[in-house]
Structure formats: structure tokens, C-alpha cells
Amino acid sequence: MLYAKLRIDENAIANITEILKPFVTNTAQAVDELKWTTTCERFPDRTQCTCETGYSWSDKVCQSEVKKSCNFPQNSSGTCVSNNSVTLNGSVTFRGPQYLGCLAKESTVQFKNCNTNVSKQLQEVYSTLKGFDTLKVIGYRVGSVIADFEVTIANKVNPQDLIDKSKILISDLSASLELKTTGVVHITMPSDRVPYNSKRDVKCTLKEDLGGPSMILPSWTLRRDEKYVDINNGTGSHVTIDTKETKVELSDITELWAGLYTCVYEQKDNDYYTITHSASDIMDVCLLPNIDITTAPGYPNCKGRSESDLVKVRAICEIRNSSENYTVTWKSEHIDAEIIEIEPASSKGAKAYGADAFVSCSQTKKPKLICTFENRCMQKKRAEIPINIIYEPDAFCHAEGDWGDTKAGFDAVLKCNDNSAGQRQRRCVNSSPEATWGKEYSGCVNNKVNDVLQKSNIVGIGLGNLNENAASVFSLLRNVTIKTDNIDSGANINASVYVLYNLSQQRKLKPNSTATDDFLDSSSNMLDKSLNNSWKADNDHGNVSMAERYLSSVEEIIQVANLTDTKKKNNIEVDICSQKSECTNKVFNVTIILNSPDPGSVKSAGFRELQEYLPNNDSKQEPNSIVVSTTTERSQSGNVKVRIAFPLIKPRPRNVQMECVAWDNDARKWSKEGCEWQSHIGGPSEGNCLCTHLSSFAILMSKEPLELHGMNQLTYVGLSVSIMSLTISLVIEAIVWSAVVKTNTLFLRHVAHVNISLCLLVADCCFLASSEPKDTPEIWCLTSVVLKHFCYLSMFFWMMCLSIMLLHQTVFLFHNLSKKNYLRFSLVLGYVCPLLIVAITILANGRGAEGSYYSKDTCWLVYIAPLKGSIHTFILPVGIIVIVNIFSMVVVILKVLDHPKNMDKSHETDKKAAMTVLRTVILLTPIFGVTWIFGFAVMLLDLTYGDIAYIVNYAFTALNAFQGLFILLTTCLGDRLTREALINRLQKVAPSNSATASTTKTDSTLKK
């Protein structure tokens, strides 16, 4: 079979077989499938040729835009090629040494022989393809020996024929083959220009089915800005594949989709050949700009002008530089004067179109300027700006720095500097007596951050692989955020958070390990402590939920990320567990234990500083732990238990309630629903939580301790009663002293009683004076603590004096005591010992330092833990004294019961005095002892323990507050001798007419 390409006269077509016989040896051959491709007509100065239907000019032959007719020099012409013509570009890699000569110089014999051999073998194979036109060996390369060649076929090619021929070539040459075809696949592109934001389809079709084991699914690429990008399914594109057709459906065409489209089918045998069929065409998109319109001045000032005056205003519409040649027009509303357009100006990637207008100072309808941009597809986009004039009666803010005159109640707007995108805004507040400038809000985003944000906006539209695009964005974000100076403003943090948010919205996102590492690095960088003020930027400008978006975005990305082990960053840690029913993760020393039937992979993340940025509308509580989040691979709807042990950021003060909370995305606040604070669980931390759902968790701590209702009232009433009772007791002692102090024992008993009452009176007065610690000056708080510490100790030591005296009398058979010695002993024990204890405690605790010796919150000694804290210098001595008193009572009672009935009558009075002392000790020891047992329980039991703590606190307060009353009732009015002496003394001062009767009655009573 022979193939020929002829230029002949039209008259010779009918006799073509006879004309060709002299050129072949076999005259029985005939010409079939004769195709008429080109018709040429000669003119005096040129030859004009036209392509027949189904044929067209190749770019190599004719560059005419019309493409149907083409002019050539008078004695030459071109030939149209079939629309089904195919070009093969191939590379043959030879495996044997016999083709090394092809790498020699072209002038050498070795090269010529090798080249002839290769050309001949290539031609022998491909010339048998129907419609074969030309074959050319382009050159040779090193890599073994590689021959590049090009084949032109003026007819459609059956792909299977191409495979069969290629296999023959591979076998003959002992080589492998790479072949690229154009013309096997045909691309259909929307004709002419494509309107902006329109929907269009790009389609590739095959004449023959490429099915079979060697066929790989077709792919699409777009060349834009000299870069090739794969086209996949995304928010802006949908790729469909059928047996002989593949199509890209574009739902919103913008400048991103303009460029050269190429569809590729590939047939492959890894050991022998790769054949790639492709087709390409260009999509020309009509663009529309984003317009930034401003005026200069921003607020024309008509102050001091008449209503007939005109003020010049220049409007500027600025767009980014574009390949689109826009037609820009201006118009106005409520402006009578003509608009004067000015020449466009370009600078640093932007182009500005301007116009001057003259507006009247009369208060008419608000004037407005409008600019309209029209593209090649006759689409229009406009921007308008009202001109707010400062009239004579209007208040305004005077120019300040960059800010020009601004009308009250309006915002001044300035463009950010060249290193940032966005605007700066400042409100002119209409206040009295004149308008004042408000706080400046900067929406300026660092260009580097803005570039990452723009890339994140298009990561999933279908241009490129989603995960590769995301990995690129994560890498860029990491490089930007690693220097916190790049994101040290609210606008930059907000933009960075939106990058994470955009990526978290990609439902098919699956970051690999490298991308995950970059993601965690950048997320951690954003929580750097130096950015605290940036996170807490002015919330009135839309970043209220910045921390919420950050948290939800990071959680969602972590859930889909490729994590196999613990990741530790400066401000984020992520741990993973894959056990079946119980998983334990640990992040930043927070232990999370999840119990669930089948959770799959469990990921826990800890976030430093984030607790400070999430909205907290409860002014009575503050965060006291980091935020931790737990997610599971499988959805959990059944029985879930999450136990979390939080290290607290700062120690919990006594009686301060804490709550375990979870973030409620719907209510946008912390919620304690489904979470419980387990304060009774021991351990180094009090931050133990149990939750029954998955979320982000933290601990909130009250700013104030729990209050007991009625406690202050009970304290005030009880102390007031005690102070009056103690005063009465001391007065009674003064009145009856001479009458009741008949023996040394009674003397010692009443001396102790007076000192006990006096110490308790001073302590109660100090307690009452410092009952409101918040309102008490620090120096008085310290003074009251020292006095209470000393007086309460003295009271107990004086009680011990009574016990020791009683024990001495009992053991030494009521041996007479020397008043002088007893007083010395009692004064040392009752005052010097407490004074030494108080002094040593003060010196040992930072010389009375707040928080070490005493607490400003309670104006009392400090309790830290068992055997830790200054309170133990009170509790331990009191405990020892109570034990000594109980021991003394037991010994005395046993001795008294064991004494013979006929005891010496001379000791009867001493015995009665000793019994009085014993009764006093028996009564006061439980009163004081039980009171301070409850006090010790108060110290141990936190109010957060519940009802038992409430009962103990009320009991201690009541007993402590009414101690003075108990002393009055037991040691004064309850003592018969004191009571009789008091009655006698009162009767002596009564009127004379009743004195006789009283005296007689008293005498008769005494005789009894």
C-alpha cells in the first residue's frame, strides 16, 4: 500500500489512476479514498487557497485568523490538513549498544549509518498507517540512546492500530517507546469569549474507544501564568468521564479558569510503551474587577462658605492590574456640574481611574458619584460612593495626623500602607460640646498573610489536588506565623484563623504527616503569648468569635489529619490512642481517659492561652485550666465517659467553687451540662472532671468564695451577745470579788476566770472589727490576726492553769497553794507562752507576711494543707491543752471518788473550792474544746464538700460567737457562791425597807 500527496489540476482528477501508473511497478494498483483538501486560485500577484470542508490550515502553513482562505506567493501554495489529522511525537529508547553511533557527530559515518537505519525502521512501521504523511527524526539524546521523532498522518488513526505498530517497532528495535499524539482526541471549547461568572463546559471526545487493560482514566490540566495545574472535582468544577468522552463543567468562571486546557488519555505498558493522546484549546475569559472607590477629601467641608459655593471632590476607582481592557464611564446623582475625567494612573500592581466633580454647599439631596467598568463581553460592574458634605451647622472632627476632617457620626477611612491589604477606620463620635475622635480600628492585613488567605480561598475549587493545595497553604502559613511580628494585630490573627477555617471546610481534606506538622506548627504559633493583645483586639469590629472559629477549625482538621503518634508544639499538644474500650491521652500534663464501647482512634488536643480568648459572659467566673478537646474516629451516641485531670493554672482558694465545662457551639458559651467537678477525688490536683459527651473542656473557677446565708448576721448577733456577756461577767467579778475569794483555791479560780473572760473579750472585739476582710485595711487586718492569735491561745492556757492547779490539789491532797507562786506560774503560762508562740510564728512566716502568716481574705491564720500553714501554731497548742484538761479532769474525778467519807473536816472548804474549779473546768473544756474541734473541722472541710461542711461551719460560728454567753451562764450565774454573793451585794444597795427582810432571809439561809 502506497500513500501520496499530490498537487494536480482539477481536470486530471478523473484520470488519476492512469497518471500514476508510470510511477509504480505494479500497474494493477488503483487509487482509492481520494480526498480533495485544498482549492487554489491564481491571481497576478498571489495564489489564494481555500480549505475544503473537514480540512483547515495548520499554524505552520498559514497564520491567517480567518483560516478558511490563505494567500501565498504567486508560484507556491499550501495544503490544508484534515481536521482529523494526527501528529505523533515520540521517543525511542534503545537497549542495545548497536545504536551508540547515533550519538556521534552528524558528519561521521557512524552517525549517518545509525541515523539511516533508525529512520528506515521507523518509516517501515509508521508508513503503513493509513494516511501517513511525513516522518522526521528530530535528534538523539543520552540516557542510553534516545531518538526523538515526529510523524504526521493526514487522516484519523485507530488507537489500536497505533499500539500494534508500536509493538512491532519495539520488537524490531529492542527498545521502549514514549509516544504523544495530537488529533486522536478532539477538544470542544466554548466559542469566542466567555462571560465572567458564567457556566460553561469543556469537552474532549474520542472517535474510537481506548478501553482495555492498558488505558488509564483521562486527566485535565490548565496552563495559567506559565504553570500547569490539574483540574479535579471541586466547588468550581465537576469532571465527568464516559467511554468516549470526558467533560469539565465549570459553575462560576473567573480569571482563575482562563488559560490553555489540555485533556490527556494514556495507554501504557510499563515495560514497553506509553502512548499519550492529548488535545488543547484556550479559554478566553472576560474579566470583571473588584473596585475600591474613595473620594478626596473624604468629607468636603462647607464651613464658612455660602450655599452658592462649589467644592471640588475627586473620586478614585482603583482596581488591580488586569489584562482586560475595560471601558470606564462616570456618572453622578444630584450634581449639576460636569464630571471631568482624569488620566488613569498605575502604581504597584493597581490602576486608578479618577474624575473630578464640583458639589454645591446647599443642603439638597445627597450627591453621589458612580464609576462603571465594562468588559469585552459587554458585562458591567459599578461602584458608587455618597458624598457626605460638612454643612455649616454640622459637627465634625478636625483633621488629626493622617485623618482628614470627618463629619460627626461617620467613619473616616484610610488605605493601608503598601505592605498591607485592607483599610483603617476611625469613628467621629457626635458628643457634646463638640465631636471627638474615637478609637482607630485597623483592618490592615500583612501582604504575606493576605497571600496565604487568598490561596486558602481557592484550595478546593478544583484547580490542583485538594490535599496538595492544602499542604502548600499549611507550609506557607507556618513560614508566615513563625515570626509573630507578621501576625501581631487583630486583623492578622483574624486572617490567619480564616485560613484554618477555609481549610477545615474542605470535607475531603486528608493532610499527610508533613502537612499535619506544618498545620500544628502554625496553629501553635498563633497562640504565642506575645499575641495576647492581638487576640483581645476590639471586638466591636467582627472578631467576637475569632477564638471560636480557631477552636472549631483546629478540631476538625485534627480529626481528619494523618496522626500516628504524639505531637508536641509550644502551645499545642496532640495525643492519639487506638485501644478498644478505654483510651488514655495526655497533653500538657492533662490526663484524658475515654470510656466508650468502640471509639476507634481517639485524639486529644491541648491548647495553651486559648482559655483566655474564648468568650466568657459570666463575670463571676474565670478559666483556671487550659482548653482540651477530644474527638473520636467513630461517631459516639451511646454511653461515653470522659475523665479529665486538669492541673490548675492557679491554686483554688478555700471555699471557691469550680465548674467543669464544655464549649457549646450553638449557644457560643461554656456549659456545665453533662460535666461534673469531682472535688472529693484526691491527688495532686483538684481539677478532676467527669463528662458524658465529647467536646472541648476546661475548668471555670469562681472569683469569690461561697457564702453561707445568714452567717454574718449570726456572727454579729453572737459576738455582740458575747461581748455584753463578758463585760457583765467582769463586772460581776468585780462586785463579788471580796465576798467569794475566801480561799487560795477560789482566788486562783477567779483570777483565771477574769483572765479567760478578758482574753475572749479582746478576741471577740477583734473578730467583730475584722468581720469584713475586704473592707479592712491591711495593717488592721494583721493587727487583728495577731491579737486574736494571742488572745485565743491565752484563753486556753489560762484554762490549762486551772487544770494544773486542780491536778496539783488532788495529787497533793489539797495542799495549800501560795498565791504569789500561782500568779507567777499562771502569768508565765497564760501570757508569756502564747506571746512566744505568736512571736515565733510571725518571724517564721516572713515577719507576718500576707499569704504566709495571715490571709487578707479571712483576716485569720493561713491553712495550706495538713501540718502546713500558720494555723497549726494555734491548732496544735489548743489540742494539747484540751488533752491535758481532759486528763486532769479524769484524775481529779477518780481521786475525789476514792477519798474516804470521814475526811478531815478542816479541808471541807478547800474541797468545795476544788469542786467548784472542777466544775468550771468540766464546763469550759467542752465549750471551748468542742468549739475548736468544729473550728478544726471547718479548716479541713471546704464549703464545696456540701451539706456536712455547711453544718460544721454554722455550728462553729454559733459556738464561737456565743462563748461569752456560755461563760456568763456557767462560771458566773451558774456558780452558787458567786450567785449568792451577787444577790447579797444587790440587796445591800436596795431600799432600806426591803434591806431588813432580805438580810433576815439571807442570814437564815446561811445558817442552814
Side-chain angles (χ1 to χ4, degrees), residues 940-951:
L940 294 178
L941 295 177
D942 198 284
L943 287 178
T944 58
Y945 279 45
D947 293 341
I948 183 65
Y950 281 65
I951 292 170

Side-chain angles (χ1 to χ4, degrees), residues 126-406:
Y126 289 115
S127 64
T128 60
L129 287 171
K130 189 175 181 179
F132 173 78
D133 188 359
T134 62
L135 184 146
K136 180 181 179 182
V137 177
I138 298 171
Y140 298 92
R141 294 180 285 125
V142 177
S144 296
V145 178
I146 302 173
D148 297 323
F149 63 93
E150 181 181 84
V151 179
T152 304
I153 301 171
N155 203 348
K156 66 179 182 180
V157 174
N158 186 304
Q160 188 58 48
D161 287 345
L162 195 58
I163 292 176
D164 294 340
K165 303 299 181 185
S166 298
K167 286 182 176 179
I168 294 172
L169 178 67
I170 292 168
S171 176
D172 292 344
L173 297 178
S174 299
S176 60
L177 173 68
E178 289 185 10
L179 202 61
K180 295 180 181 179
T181 75
T182 55
V184 175
V185 180
H186 297 276
I187 188 168
T188 305
M189 181 66 66
S191 59
D192 299 327
R193 305 180 182 101
V194 178
Y196 200 77
N197 294 132
S198 62
K199 296 181 179 180
R200 292 290 189 274
D201 297 342
V202 182
K203 184 167 57 176
C204 274
T205 57
L206 288 164
K207 295 295 182 181
E208 303 288 342
D209 186 6
L210 294 182
S214 65
M215 204 277 278
I216 297 175
L217 291 177
S219 61
W220 286 87
T221 59
L222 171 64
R223 188 182 73 181
R224 183 169 59 87
D225 299 330
E226 302 304 320
K227 294 180 181 178
Y228 287 89
V229 183
D230 292 334
I231 302 175
N232 298 291
N233 288 323
T235 56
S237 63
H238 181 65
V239 180
T240 58
I241 298 173
D242 204 350
T243 306
K244 295 182 181 181
E245 180 181 284
T246 178
K247 182 169 63 174
V248 176
E249 300 173 15
L250 303 177
S251 58
D252 184 17
I253 296 177
T254 64
E255 62 272 12
L256 297 173
W257 295 102
L260 178 68
Y261 285 74
T262 302
C263 65
V264 176
Y265 286 82
E266 191 171 82
Q267 294 176 293
K268 193 169 187 178
D269 185 321
N270 292 330
D271 295 329
Y272 299 104
Y273 65 85
T274 300
I275 302 176
T276 303
H277 309 286
S278 65
S280 301
D281 205 348
I282 293 175
M283 178 180 288
D284 184 12
V285 180
C286 297
L287 307 181
L288 283 177
N290 291 321
I291 308 169
D292 181 20
I293 185 168
T294 57
T295 62
Y299 297 88
N301 198 336
C302 283
K303 292 278 187 180
R305 298 174 181 265
S306 66
E307 290 190 357
S308 60
D309 287 346
L310 297 177
V311 180
K312 180 182 176 181
V313 179
R314 172 166 290 183
I316 300 172
C317 285
E318 187 175 88
I319 65 171
R320 295 183 65 85
N321 283 338
S322 171
S323 59
E324 187 74 27
N325 187 20
Y326 295 106
T327 301
V328 182
T329 57
W330 289 86
K331 83 173 192 177
S332 63
E333 292 182 7
H334 312 303
I335 297 177
D336 296 330
E338 181 184 1
I339 299 176
I340 304 171
E341 295 188 29
I342 60 176
E343 283 293 321
S346 298
S347 64
K348 295 184 178 179
K351 192 171 185 178
Y353 297 81
D356 291 335
F358 294 87
V359 296
S360 173
C361 286
S362 62
Q363 296 190 34
T364 58
K365 293 182 180 179
K366 185 179 289 186
K368 185 186 292 184
L369 285 171
I370 304 163
C371 64
T372 303
F373 287 72
E374 184 176 339
N375 63 19
R376 295 167 294 155
C377 296
M378 310 298 288
Q379 292 177 291
K380 295 180 180 180
K381 188 171 184 179
R382 56 181 260 169
E384 60 182 49
I385 187 168
I387 300 174
N388 297 294
I389 300 172
I390 302 173
Y391 295 107
E392 187 62 39
D394 292 338
F396 74 100
C397 294
H398 294 276
E400 182 179 291
D402 295 339
W403 306 97
D405 292 343
T406 301

Side-chain angles (χ1 to χ4, degrees), residues 622-789:
E622 61 183 354
N624 196 28
S625 74
I626 67 168
V627 177
V628 297
S629 169
T630 296
T631 58
T632 58
E633 181 182 4
R634 301 184 183 94
S635 177
Q636 301 295 302
S637 57
N639 185 21
V640 177
K641 286 187 178 180
V642 185
R643 297 185 183 276
I644 312 168
F646 286 100
L648 300 181
I649 294 174
K650 55 184 178 183
R652 181 183 70 89
R654 277 183 56 78
N655 303 326
V656 171
Q657 182 72 34
M658 294 201 303
E659 288 184 351
C660 294
V661 292
W663 185 255
D664 187 333
N665 287 313
D666 296 329
R668 294 182 57 202
K669 66 178 183 180
W670 290 111
S671 170
K672 62 180 181 181
E673 184 177 350
C675 287
E676 176 189 354
W677 176 46
Q678 298 186 308
S679 60
H680 60 281
I681 294 179
S685 171
E686 294 184 289
N688 298 293
C689 297
L690 174 63
C691 296
T692 56
H693 58 83
L694 297 176
S695 183
S696 297
F697 306 102
I699 283 183
L700 296 183
M701 185 174 73
S702 296
K703 295 180 180 179
E704 302 294 337
L706 293 171
E707 292 185 1
L708 294 171
H709 299 294
M711 185 66 78
N712 288 340
Q713 291 80 354
L714 178 62
T715 301
Y716 293 145
V717 171
L719 289 177
S720 299
V721 170
S722 285
I723 289 171
M724 288 189 294
S725 299
L726 291 170
T727 305
I728 293 170
S729 294
L730 291 174
V731 171
I732 290 174
E733 284 291 343
I735 291 173
V736 303
W737 184 269
S738 58
V740 297
V741 180
K742 300 297 186 180
T743 66
N744 288 350
T745 302
L746 289 174
F747 170 79
L748 298 177
R749 179 255 182 189
H750 283 279
V751 167
H753 172 242
V754 168
N755 282 278
I756 288 171
S757 299
L758 188 62
C759 289
L760 186 57
L761 178 63
V762 174
D764 284 351
C765 289
C766 291
F767 206 109
L768 191 62
S770 61
S771 59
E772 294 292 340
K774 290 183 180 178
D775 302 327
T776 304
E778 189 169 342
I779 185 63
W780 172 240
C781 184
L782 173 60
T783 303
S784 68
V785 172
V786 172
L787 288 174
K788 286 187 284 186
H789 191 189

